[in-house]
Amino acid sequence: MRPLALTQGDPAGIGPDITLTAWLDRRALSLEPFLFIGDPAVLAQRARHLGLSVAIEETGAEDAIGIFDRAIPVMPVAAGSDILPGEPRVESAAGTIGAIERAVELCFAGRTSAVVTNPIAKSVLYDAGFRFPGHTEFLADLAERATGKPALPVMLLAGPKLKAVPVTIHIPLKDVPAALDAALLLETCRITHADLKHRFGIAAPRLAVAGLNPHAGEGGALGLEDDAIIRPAIEVLRAEGIDAFGPLPADTMFHDRARQGYDVAICMYHDQALIPAKALGFDDSVNATLGLPFIRTSPDHGTAFGIAGKGIARHDSLVAALTLAADLARNTGARS
């Protein structure tokens, strides 16, 4: 068995808080062993700040599972700055990025089974010169550096009531129509179909494809993209044996009865996917990145600087992310 690699995220956010409380509940939750990658001093300081009694032990990946029951195993990556909860600092950006890089390296080396990432603050990283729109795109770049092959990262929001994929991700809404083309939609659906089969164990995934415009364009009266781009792409997918259907009006896709008819909703832009996903599973949804040569999950929330260090951050989504990562690793044989 190999541990999961859990990154620190922004050290001033709630990543340390939820890591500590999840570990304290490890037995009740049957939590999968993880190796925390980050600054042990930040973790210890946050534990003291929260009044928690938590043992922390520096180690490598090989000994993490043996340590996990008695202490949080930590592979040290310096935060690069004195850290106070709720007060992000640009000086910590290098440590945040370094923890992600180390986690991916461990996965490629076969020393860990999956990457689970605590939340980052993109604005802090941007101020430090980070050139990627977000976690997802950075992980794809790391995968390409390691393999020499480009990867199209596909964001999947996975909750107990809904799985949803945005085709376009971290771009302004005004740029979505220009960014949405048949090639991107086709590749997103193909990757989603393949990963749902091979990692999630869904034998014949059903893909419900949302329209871009209100009422899926209303026959062209409310926009041309649905008939010009989305519908022809669905026909191609169906010819390939992928059970995709639509384009569907997004306003009727997410009620209880509609969700029984598909395994994943393919949405055209960020909020079209994330609003229903978070409304239906705010505390226990997981962000999983498909299309990568390693497994990656993360909590479906941000750094929550406003509540960092206050003892009120919920660890439900982190626990769900750790559990899903372990399940996917077992499904693909990556745990052994």
Side-chain angles (χ1 to χ4, degrees), residues 174-197:
K174 66 180 177 61
D175 295 337
V176 169
L180 183 65
D181 60 26
L184 176 61
L185 178 56
L186 286 168
E187 193 62 13
T188 299
C189 290
R190 289 165 179 152
I191 289 169
T192 301
H193 177 262
D195 275 15
L196 288 183
K197 283 186 67 174

Side-chain angles (χ1 to χ4, degrees), residues 16-110:
D17 305 46
I18 58 179
T19 297
L20 291 163
T21 57
W23 181 83
L24 285 171
D25 286 346
R26 64 197 179 282
R27 296 190 183 103
L29 297 168
S30 299
L31 201 64
E32 297 287 342
F34 60 76
L35 172 67
F36 183 80
I37 304 174
D39 196 323
V42 169
L43 207 56
Q45 179 191 54
R46 192 66 55 87
R48 290 192 297 270
H49 183 87
L50 293 169
L52 302 176
S53 178
V54 177
I56 295 167
E57 191 169 331
E58 295 185 22
T59 186
E62 293 75 12
D63 298 320
I65 289 179
I67 291 169
F68 187 76
D69 193 55
R70 68 174 183 268
I72 298 179
V74 179
M75 177 174 283
V77 175
S81 172
D82 291 335
I83 300 298
L84 295 176
E87 298 184 17
R89 297 183 178 178
V90 70
E91 293 83 2
S92 70
T96 300
I97 294 167
I100 299 167
E101 292 173 331
R102 183 68 59 84
V104 172
E105 289 169 4
L106 289 170
C107 248
F108 274 116

Side-chain angles (χ1 to χ4, degrees), residues 193-206 241-243 263:
H193 177 262
D195 275 15
L196 288 183
K197 283 186 67 174
H198 301 303
R199 288 184 174 173
F200 285 78
I202 300 174
R206 299 164 298 168
I242 295 174
D243 185 5
D263 297 297

Side-chain angles (χ1 to χ4, degrees), residues 24-326:
L24 285 171
D25 286 346
R26 64 197 179 282
R27 296 190 183 103
L29 297 168
S30 299
L31 201 64
E32 297 287 342
F34 60 76
L35 172 67
F36 183 80
I37 304 174
D39 196 323
V42 169
L43 207 56
Q45 179 191 54
R46 192 66 55 87
R48 290 192 297 270
H49 183 87
L50 293 169
L52 302 176
S53 178
V54 177
I56 295 167
E57 191 169 331
E58 295 185 22
T59 186
E62 293 75 12
D63 298 320
I65 289 179
I67 291 169
F68 187 76
D69 193 55
R70 68 174 183 268
I72 298 179
V74 179
M75 177 174 283
V77 175
S81 172
D82 291 335
I83 300 298
L84 295 176
E87 298 184 17
R89 297 183 178 178
V90 70
E91 293 83 2
S92 70
T96 300
I97 294 167
I100 299 167
E101 292 173 331
R102 183 68 59 84
V104 172
E105 289 169 4
L106 289 170
C107 248
F108 274 116
R111 298 168 64 193
T112 56
S113 60
V115 174
V116 182
T117 58
N118 265 310
I120 60 173
K122 292 187 281 290
S123 60
V124 174
L125 300 187
Y126 295 158
D127 288 344
F130 189 67
R131 62 183 179 86
F132 300 94
H135 243 140
T136 303
E137 296 84 357
F138 182 45
L139 290 164
D141 183 73
L142 293 176
E144 183 172 355
R145 285 190 237 167
T147 65
K149 299 177 181 178
L152 175 65
V154 172
M155 178 189 290
L156 170 71
L157 280 299
K161 295 182 179 179
L162 174 69
K163 292 182 180 68
V165 167
V167 176
T168 62
I169 307 177
H170 297 117
I171 62 173
L173 187 58
K174 66 180 177 61
D175 295 337
V176 169
L180 183 65
D181 60 26
L184 176 61
L185 178 56
L186 286 168
E187 193 62 13
T188 299
C189 290
R190 289 165 179 152
I191 289 169
T192 301
H193 177 262
D195 275 15
L196 288 183
K197 283 186 67 174
H198 301 303
R199 288 184 174 173
F200 285 78
I202 300 174
R206 299 164 298 168
L207 281 61
V209 183
L212 172 66
N213 297 295
H215 303 173
E218 195 77 59
L222 297 177
L224 302 177
E225 293 88 356
D226 301 278
D227 287 335
I229 297 172
I230 301 173
R231 196 178 305 279
I234 291 171
E235 292 172 1
V236 172
L237 293 168
R238 294 191 67 82
E240 295 174 358
I242 295 174
D243 185 5
F245 54 93
L248 304 174
D251 63 348
T252 59
M253 280 182 60
F254 301 107
H255 60 80
D256 291 347
R257 189 171 65 255
R259 295 197 313 275
Q260 303 310 307
Y262 59 83
D263 297 297
V264 63
I266 304 296
C267 303
M268 296 304 109
Y269 54 92
H270 184 277
D271 283 9
Q272 192 181 59
L274 272 69
I275 288 173
K278 292 188 176 184
L280 291 166
F282 187 80
D283 290 319
D284 47 12
S285 286
V286 176
N287 180 352
T289 306
L290 311 182
L292 298 177
F294 55 87
I295 293 163
R296 181 263 179 152
T297 66
S298 74
D300 183 26
H301 58 67
T303 52
F305 290 125
I307 62 171
K310 295 184 178 179
I312 58 175
R314 296 172 61 100
H315 59 229
D316 306 58
S317 189
L318 174 60
V319 170
L322 291 164
T323 301
L324 178 60

